[in-house]
Amino acid sequence: MDQRMGGFDWNHIRAFLATAEEGSLSAAARVLGLTQPTLGRQVTALESDLGILLFERVGRALQLTDAGRDLLGHVRAMGAAADQVALAATGHSQSIEGMVRITASEGLSAHILPAALKRIREVAPKLEIDIVAANDIRDLMRREADIAIRHVRPEQPDLIARLVREARAYFYASGPYLAARGRPKSLADLAPHDFIGFGDNQQMLDHLVPLGMPLTEANFRIGSANGIVAWELARQGFGIAPMWDELARLCPEMERILPELKPITFPIWLTTHRELHTSRRIRLVFDHLADFLSNPAR
């Protein structure tokens, strides 16, 4: 069978994708079951075919160049499409059974994941899905979950992590709160306002004060470590809260304040254990979640 697709060797493309996701040639080689020199030659061959540099070495790690980042999204789409073709060709989607446990924050679990799960149920109706809604980082190595959606990359070398995208958050408050307390026109205007705490007020201050916000512990009079509760407090008019823009869009009664402020950006990491390569059910869910979460428009 001809392995070349669109003039490029699929093995070379697969080598690039694994290296980009794993962050090193050695880790990518382990994932693909190749030797490091072989994988390195495949990546170099793709760079030669394309006439661009895909990686640059920073210390012992590899980082994508701008050209590599541009290519990565297209290559991921190719990989996901290839997986779906394989599943469809063998009729596996409908027959995939068993439990897949997903852990994510309370807000993402309640308001974002359901739409993704509808798609997964359409292609694999026999799957069982358990959502573990928690802001703490569950231990995938101890199988507290099969797949985790988090804002930090795991450090364990035996886990597979994919950076889905960089998301954005802004500051919101309810209309009644702003009508009563005033709509801030500048950062200085935030000083007398109430803010909703999301568990660790000092940690929030460590993020917000460097942005130029004149806030202290006194601004955080109410809050909750539960993200759904904290956001509901903001919706009920108790104060201002930062929120992922995709979730905030689901609440049209909330107003974005100081729209000229730059967004708070944060990564969305999709993580699983090495069983991804041997478990069809985990692979299917992982790939569908990656496709869904990487598309903010959806």
Side-chain angles (χ1 to χ4, degrees), residues 233-245:
L233 290 171
R235 292 183 63 229
Q236 294 292 333
F238 284 93
I240 297 170
M243 182 50 61
W244 186 11
D245 60 346

Side-chain angles (χ1 to χ4, degrees), residues 40-290:
R41 286 193 295 270
Q42 291 180 351
V43 172
T44 300
L46 181 61
E47 291 179 324
S48 178
D49 289 341
L50 295 172
I52 57 177
L53 185 66
L54 299 173
F55 295 99
E56 56 186 359
R57 185 169 292 280
V58 178
R60 295 184 176 181
L62 291 178
Q63 288 188 358
L64 286 166
T65 62
D66 290 341
R69 281 189 290 271
D70 290 340
L71 181 64
L72 182 58
H74 300 292
V75 169
R76 279 178 174 160
M78 290 174 63
D83 289 338
Q84 292 306 307
V85 168
L87 285 170
T90 58
H92 281 332
S93 289
Q94 295 293 318
S95 65
I96 292 180
E97 302 180 21
M99 171 69 72
V100 177
R101 184 169 286 108
I102 305 167
T103 181
S105 67
E106 290 99 344
L108 193 151
S109 296
H111 301 294
I112 304 297
L113 274 186
L117 299 182
K118 287 181 180 179
R119 297 186 187 181
I120 293 172
R121 172 160 286 187
E122 289 174 358
V123 299
K126 295 182 181 180
L127 269 182
E128 300 172 42
I129 304 291
D130 180 33
I131 304 299
V132 182
N135 286 329
D136 61 314
I137 299 177
R138 295 299 169 113
D139 192 342
L140 297 182
M141 300 303 296
R142 293 189 297 187
R143 301 305 176 90
E144 294 179 17
D146 298 303
I147 297 173
I149 305 170
R150 287 291 179 261
H151 303 316
V152 294
R153 182 174 187 169
E155 298 179 353
Q156 299 96 322
D158 290 331
L159 295 179
I160 295 172
R162 178 184 298 183
L163 178 61
V164 178
R165 66 185 172 91
E166 294 285 337
R168 299 175 298 179
Y170 300 94
F171 292 89
Y172 297 87
S174 70
Y177 170 85
L178 294 172
R181 300 290 298 275
R183 288 172 170 80
K185 304 296 184 183
S186 67
L187 289 175
D189 291 343
L190 295 176
H193 278 274
D194 292 326
F195 277 70
I196 308 298
F198 280 72
D200 188 331
N201 292 339
Q202 186 56 54
Q203 189 176 62
M204 287 190 68
L205 286 169
D206 291 342
H207 287 290
L208 301 183
V209 171
L211 299 178
M213 296 187 176
L215 305 178
T216 68
E217 288 272 4
N219 293 98
F220 294 84
R221 300 182 182 277
I222 192 169
S224 173
N226 183 298
I228 293 178
V229 174
W231 181 238
E232 185 62 23
L233 290 171
R235 292 183 63 229
Q236 294 292 333
F238 284 93
I240 297 170
M243 182 50 61
W244 186 11
D245 60 346
E246 288 185 39
L247 197 155
R249 285 200 299 268
L250 302 175
C251 305
E253 73 278 10
M254 298 297 284
E255 295 185 27
R256 180 175 155 190
I257 67 167
L258 297 176
E260 71 278 5
L261 281 181
K262 292 182 179 180
I264 299 173
T265 59
F266 57 94
I268 299 178
W269 287 94
L270 196 59
T271 306
T272 187
H273 40 71
R274 295 291 177 184
E275 192 176 334
L276 177 72
H277 299 292
T278 58
S279 171
R280 290 187 292 114
R281 68 178 185 275
I282 294 177
R283 179 88 226 189
L284 183 144
V285 174
F286 188 93
D287 287 343
H288 273 77
L289 288 176

